[in-house]
Amino acid sequence: MKTILVVDDEDKILEVVSSYLRNDGFQTIEASTGQDAINQVRKGHIDFIILDLMLPDITGEDVCHIIRQEISVPILMLTAKVKEQERIKGLSLGADDYMVKPFSPKELVMRVKTILRRANEYDLLADRISYNGGELTIDSTSNEVFLNGTEVSLTPKEYKTLLVFARHPKRTFSRHELVGKVLGFNYEGDPRAIDQHIKNLRHKIEKNPKQPQYIQTVFGLGYKFKGSSYED
């Protein structure tokens, strides 16, 4: 059973959202402040977070930023802010989707299910997979990546990009496919932004970023991941 943390300072919204989620088979935990939400995340296993942006102590954006430094759990933001720039800011911090208040609880549950299905695409076939004789290692239980035994610091978007490739080795992804999987289907910016994420990732995991052995360019089509792997 998936556990969903619902964060909102309005008791009625907490009650309604949690009720709809429980009726659909989810387990819920509730928090009414940003600090309480952070504490709940640190206390135990959370599979999904529904996060209001307008909280009494810490902004939802700051809560999202703090959580993103610790776990890569999917986050759906609730906001009364309707300006495009505000929505883009939330997504840029690592949120997977957003809904504008007032919203339909039924639609919210459907979005949660959709995001969770998409999140499953990042599950590796083993908890720990190494490539090229242990040169590159991905540990999906701790969300850590190692190059020759040394941890590599990746941003959430870089880590998600690597997981997409590692989950589907040798498959060629178009730029638009990667945008949807990494930046989100609601992303409204330049699709070439994914190229920068790949460039940054190559600089961190490749011996020679100009001649990559892992993330390779398929000219005219997109990118693919290549590497001899084994499970630890």
Side-chain angles (χ1 to χ4, degrees):
M1 180 183 294
K2 299 289 186 182
T3 299
I4 299 180
L5 173 62
V6 184
V7 188
D8 201 296
D9 63 339
E10 297 183 45
D11 291 339
K12 186 62 177 177
I13 290 180
L14 283 177
E15 178 184 344
V16 171
V17 170
S18 296
S19 176
Y20 270 80
L21 289 168
R22 287 194 296 268
N23 287 341
D24 227 289
F26 295 104
Q27 178 176 327
T28 63
I29 298 174
E30 299 175 1
S32 57
T33 68
Q35 188 58 58
D36 188 19
I38 295 168
N39 292 341
Q40 291 291 348
V41 168
R42 290 171 175 169
K43 275 170 47 177
H45 183 73
I46 303 293
D47 298 296
F48 196 102
I49 299 174
I50 297 173
L51 175 63
D52 182 30
L53 292 186
M54 304 294 288
L55 297 171
D57 56 341
I58 309 173
T59 68
E61 290 94 341
D62 286 342
V63 173
C64 181
H65 178 72
I66 293 170
I67 290 173
R68 273 286 173 261
Q69 303 307 306
E70 303 186 16
I71 60 174
S72 58
V73 62
I75 297 175
L76 185 152
M77 287 184 168
L78 301 179
T79 176
K81 302 175 181 179
V82 296
K83 291 184 179 179
E84 178 183 22
Q85 193 57 40
E86 296 290 349
R87 301 197 305 268
I88 292 175
K89 180 182 178 182
L91 293 171
S92 69
L93 288 171
D96 294 84
D97 202 353
Y98 65 88
M99 291 190 72
V100 178
K101 294 180 176 180
F103 56 86
S104 162
K106 290 183 179 180
E107 181 183 354
L108 182 143
V109 173
M110 290 305 300
R111 290 209 191 186
V112 168
K113 290 180 176 179
T114 299
I115 294 170
L116 283 172
R117 283 197 300 270
R118 196 163 71 221
N120 288 338
E121 295 182 2
Y122 311 122
D123 291 343
L124 296 180
L125 299 180
D127 290 339
R128 188 178 177 97
I129 297 181
S130 295
Y131 298 87
N132 293 357
E135 178 184 80
L136 177 68
T137 299
I138 304 173
D139 190 326
S140 62
T141 59
S142 61
N143 296 328
E144 294 175 326
V145 176
F146 300 89
L147 187 64
N148 293 318
T150 300
E151 184 178 356
V152 180
S153 178
L154 300 182
T155 67
K157 291 292 189 295
E158 291 164 0
Y159 180 68
K160 185 179 286 188
T161 301
L162 181 59
L163 287 189
V164 169
F165 281 123
R167 184 67 177 82
H168 304 278
K170 300 182 181 180
R171 172 182 165 181
T172 298
F173 289 94
S174 70
R175 180 182 289 113
H176 287 285
E177 283 181 300
L178 289 172
V179 166
K181 292 179 179 297
V182 176
L183 302 182
F185 294 104
N186 289 319
Y187 179 73
E188 298 176 350
D190 186 347
R192 291 185 179 274
I194 197 67
D195 296 341
Q196 187 61 48
H197 289 296
I198 290 175
K199 179 180 178 181
N200 295 341
L201 184 55
R202 279 173 168 169
H203 276 283
K204 294 179 179 181
I205 69 170
E206 302 280 3
K207 286 183 179 178
N208 183 355
K210 294 184 178 180
Q211 295 181 331
Q213 60 176 328
Y214 292 113
I215 302 176
Q216 301 182 346
T217 300
V218 182
F219 293 100
L221 295 176
Y223 301 94
K224 71 176 180 180
F225 185 84
K226 187 176 181 181
S228 178
S229 68
Y230 64 88
E231 301 176 5
D232 288 1

